Amino acid sequence: MHITAMKKTAPGIIESDISGTIEGIALCGGAGVSFPVILSVRGEILHNHSHSNIMQDGDLLVNDSGAESMMHYAADITRTFPVNGKYSLKQKEVYEIVLKAQMDAIEALKPGIMYRDVHLLAARIIADGLKEVGLMKGDMEEAVLQGAHALFFPHGLGHMMGLDVHDMENYGEDLIGYDETVQRSDQFGLAYLRLAKKLEPGFVLTVEPGIYFIPDLINQWKKAKKFENFIEYKNVEKYIGFGGIRIEDDILVTEDGHRVLGRPIPKTVHDVETMCQSL
Ligand code: GLY
Ligand code: MN
Ligand code: MN
């Protein structure tokens, strides 16, 4: 599904052409998609299920989609790639930050670690990266503690998966992702973390950091002078229209670490560009 999307996407094509094609692949190979396909050049709109944009040269496409097996086990994978097959310098800079956050977070997965700490590790990498490109400033340890990075990374790092894409959450998100050792935060961003508790062998979960430029949120925070000491608004405003980048994989926690599930799907800038440019 993801490779087909990379190969078929091109400027001038409507998103539904790609989302319909990949949904067809899921139907051909199993029980269909595990959740409604999220495929949009407006990737900054989280859980955006509209597929009506005509994709343009210079756009980034977020493809968050997965198939369900005949036994109803769900997959949930995201790749973000350039519609024209080549990331611009600006897109590449932000992509590399998200990729580092995702790969370092995956590397940290092992039994005994709190998923909340893995989320905070990813948040810190995102904040440090954004400081390097001039979008944040000041002490990034303090910025993450106070939640300033959530302007760009407003959701949780991941969630449990299994016979549903957000496994058993209808039973109660806090009953699944939290326990007596960890309370849900009320801070914007961290509050939306669906899984926070200590990892155990056998857990299957997603790692899905992202960086988004959400025009209304940027304007709202700027107007309220929120975190002016950490956010370089005059530079952030230049990214309005950029969209969003998310990278997501599904991971099994093993006795001694973790294993990324499924066949590898291109993820580095080089591998994604090569796949986008191949027929
Ligand atoms: N596809 C929904 C999610 O990533 O949680
Ligand atoms: Mn997803
Ligand atoms: Mn997910």
Side-chain angles (χ1 to χ4, degrees):
M1 290 165 70
H2 284 272
I3 286 169
T4 298
M6 287 179 189
K7 288 182 173 178
K8 269 190 69 94
T9 294
I13 294 178
I14 187 164
E15 292 161 345
S16 55
D17 193 342
I18 307 298
S19 63
T21 299
I22 66 175
E23 184 153 355
I25 294 171
L27 283 163
C28 290
V33 290
S34 47
F35 58 92
V37 171
I38 299 165
L39 185 137
S40 182
V41 292
R42 295 272 57 88
E44 78 280 12
I45 304 170
L46 303 179
H47 286 202
N48 179 1
H49 294 300
S50 156
H51 303 134
S52 59
N53 292 303
I54 310 283
M55 300 184 281
Q56 308 289 336
D57 190 7
D59 283 346
L60 282 174
L61 183 67
V62 170
N63 174 16
D64 181 349
S65 57
E68 200 169 286
S69 75
M70 290 297 191
M71 289 175 69
H72 299 292
Y73 283 94
D76 178 12
I77 293 172
T78 307
R79 291 292 183 269
T80 305
F81 56 90
V83 164
N84 65 12
K86 199 160 170 55
Y87 294 99
S88 70
L89 193 60
K90 200 170 168 183
Q91 289 169 343
K92 191 155 48 177
E93 276 179 352
V94 179
Y95 188 89
E96 294 286 13
I97 301 169
V98 180
L99 184 62
K100 180 170 169 45
Q102 204 242 11
M103 304 227 305
D104 286 10
I106 291 173
E107 235 5 80
L109 299 180
K110 59 179 182 200
I113 194 166
M114 303 282 292
Y115 198 65
R116 185 181 193 272
D117 292 338
V118 186
H119 170 91
L120 291 170
L121 167 77
R124 179 63 194 272
I125 293 166
I126 285 172
D128 285 343
L130 290 171
K131 182 175 175 178
E132 219 160 283
V133 297
L135 299 177
M136 292 190 76
K137 58 186 176 182
D139 177 352
M140 288 303 102
E141 188 176 342
E142 196 52 35
V144 169
L145 197 68
Q146 294 186 29
H149 64 284
L151 175 62
F152 309 99
F153 175 35
H155 61 72
L157 184 64
H159 51 87
M160 298 279 240
M161 320 180 55
L163 289 170
D164 197 356
V165 64
H166 295 159
D167 200 30
M168 297 198 294
E169 282 183 3
N170 286 345
Y171 177 56
E173 206 176 300
D174 281 356
L175 289 173
I176 302 309
Y178 290 74
D179 59 18
E180 61 290 347
T181 67
V182 56
Q183 293 283 310
R184 188 183 285 270
S185 163
D186 58 8
Q187 184 185 82
F188 177 80
L190 193 52
Y192 314 124
L193 182 60
R194 312 168 90 109
L195 170 63
K197 69 186 180 187
K198 206 177 265 186
L199 302 184
E200 294 175 29
F203 282 14
V204 177
L205 48 89
T206 69
V207 176
E208 49 178 307
I211 294 179
Y212 312 88
F213 296 92
I214 305 167
D216 284 344
L217 195 60
I218 293 167
N219 292 332
Q220 192 189 79
W221 279 33
K222 184 177 181 242
K223 211 165 145 196
K225 301 186 187 304
K226 201 164 166 177
F227 296 126
E228 271 187 326
N229 48 335
F230 296 129
I231 294 166
E232 198 64 89
Y233 284 106
K234 68 176 193 306
N235 293 340
V236 173
E237 280 180 318
K238 294 182 198 145
Y239 283 70
I240 286 180
F242 180 103
I245 293 176
R246 177 167 64 257
I247 307 172
E248 175 175 27
D249 282 304
D250 303 336
I251 325 288
L252 168 70
V253 179
T254 59
E255 292 293 338
D256 55 1
H258 61 269
R259 178 158 63 85
V260 180
L261 298 175
R263 274 175 287 161
I265 297 168
K267 192 156 81 166
T268 63
V269 164
H270 173 267
D271 290 355
V272 171
E273 287 183 345
T274 303
M275 190 55 77
C276 288
Q277 290 166 24
S278 66
L279 294 173

